[in-house]
Amino acid sequence: LPISPPTEEDEVLAETYLKRFFNLTEETGPTARRGPSQRSRKVSEMQTFFGLQVTGTLDAETVTMMKKPRCGVPDVQP
Amino acid sequence: SRFTTFDNRKWQTNQVTYRIENYTPDMSVAEVDNSIERALQVWAKVSPLRFTRIYSGTADIMISFGTRNHGDSYPFDGPDGTLAHAFSPGPDIEGDAHFDDDEYFTFSSTRGYNLFLVAAHELGHSLGLSHSNDPGALMYPVYSYTDPSTFSLPRDDVNGIQYIYGPNPDV
């Protein structure tokens, strides 16, 4: 089946989740324009932490993991 | 070092105090007291840490229930999502554990979220542990129900707390 793109709601959820638990920050300066976006790198970091397939994109299993009840402490250190 | 916080926070004494500041309406006072006490004993059993409850003043670990904006910079998010959070050892708010009272906390039911399990995880943070990516570990960030009456601290978590404080000298 064609993979359905993430919904707008999933995008907002992911942004909040990655900021809160994986130190996603607003992209500024040269890093904003070069290579995979910080957002994609942070999705990959989250997928690696949880042992998911590392795609850098908001696939279904990644969004499902983001919706699970959890502790509010970040998963990566500042 | 993967067990500790980036700044290696830990209590400088093995005698740690705690205080339950308020209660959730979901459970009786005795059930909350018992859940917190058992959650602390999970860590005391495998380390030199010993916990003393106080009923007034400021304890090392202040335990409270709140919703949304509850007095720190990390507002809760309503039902589900974030269940609770805690701060690594240190003065003032450091070491404290906050529980989102928009959740339905339970004593022994599989409904809602078991307070003993959530508290045992959060108190791991209050003692200096960070998250584990071992899905079977107590310090794994995502909640999963296990029968509290047969709970045994997973090896990953024992390794973590003993990395910071050493083993229980009494066993």
Side-chain angles (χ1 to χ4, degrees):
Chain A
L1 287 173
I3 297 174
S4 54
T7 64
E8 176 62 28
E9 180 191 342
D10 291 345
E11 292 284 355
V12 172
L13 165 84
E15 193 86 0
T16 305
Y17 190 96
L18 294 170
K19 281 179 179 172
R20 181 147 204 184
F21 301 117
F22 285 85
N23 292 332
L24 174 67
T25 55
E26 300 304 337
E27 270 195 300
T28 56
T31 57
R33 291 181 296 279
R34 232 186 13 245
S37 71
Q38 186 201 162
R39 216 299 281 273
S40 172
R41 292 197 306 273
K42 288 299 183 181
V43 171
S44 298
E45 191 176 346
M46 179 251 178
Q47 290 167 332
T48 302
F49 181 90
F50 285 105
L52 305 176
Q53 186 182 355
V54 179
T55 62
T57 61
L58 285 182
D59 47 51
E61 71 167 353
T62 300
V63 173
T64 300
M65 179 61 79
M66 288 178 169
K67 292 178 176 176
K68 290 188 175 183
R70 57 160 293 156
C71 170
V73 172
D75 297 321
V76 292
Q77 316 268 359
Chain B
S1 63
R2 72 176 177 85
F3 299 111
T4 60
T5 58
F6 71 100
D7 48 2
N8 292 308
R9 295 278 189 93
K10 66 175 287 187
W11 297 108
Q12 299 311 313
T13 164
N14 292 329
Q15 304 298 325
V16 178
T17 58
Y18 75 98
R19 178 181 166 196
I20 302 173
E21 288 191 272
N22 63 1
Y23 287 83
T24 172
D26 305 339
M27 300 159 64
S28 71
V29 166
E31 287 176 335
V32 172
D33 289 352
N34 180 275
S35 299
I36 300 297
E37 169 66 23
R38 282 185 296 122
L40 288 164
Q41 289 313 308
V42 160
W43 300 110
K45 194 173 167 186
V46 293
S47 76
L49 293 164
R50 297 299 176 262
F51 300 101
T52 302
R53 184 176 179 179
I54 65 175
Y55 295 82
S56 62
T58 302
D60 297 318
I61 301 175
M62 299 290 270
I63 293 163
S64 60
F65 294 83
T67 58
R68 301 292 181 179
N69 286 299
H70 56 278
D72 63 23
S73 312
Y74 307 95
F76 285 133
D77 53 3
D80 301 319
T82 299
L83 307 180
H85 57 222
F87 300 85
S88 49
D92 307 324
I93 196 171
E94 305 296 351
D96 295 357
H98 299 165
F99 296 83
D100 183 354
D101 220 355
D102 276 329
E103 313 303 345
Y104 180 63
F105 289 112
T106 59
F107 182 66
S108 55
S109 158
T110 55
R111 287 186 309 132
Y113 300 104
N114 182 271
L115 181 61
F116 160 74
L117 295 172
V118 177
H121 174 104
E122 297 307 331
L123 291 166
H125 290 308
S126 299
L127 300 175
L129 286 173
S130 55
H131 277 151
S132 169
N133 60 3
D134 174 345
L138 175 63
M139 293 312 290
Y140 189 66
V142 174
Y143 175 87
S144 67
Y145 178 83
T146 52
D147 184 350
S149 64
T150 59
F151 179 85
S152 174
L153 190 63
R155 170 48 52 187
D156 188 72
D157 305 291
V158 174
N159 291 343
I161 200 72
Q162 292 187 348
Y163 176 85
I164 301 174
Y165 296 99
N168 182 347
D170 301 335
V171 295

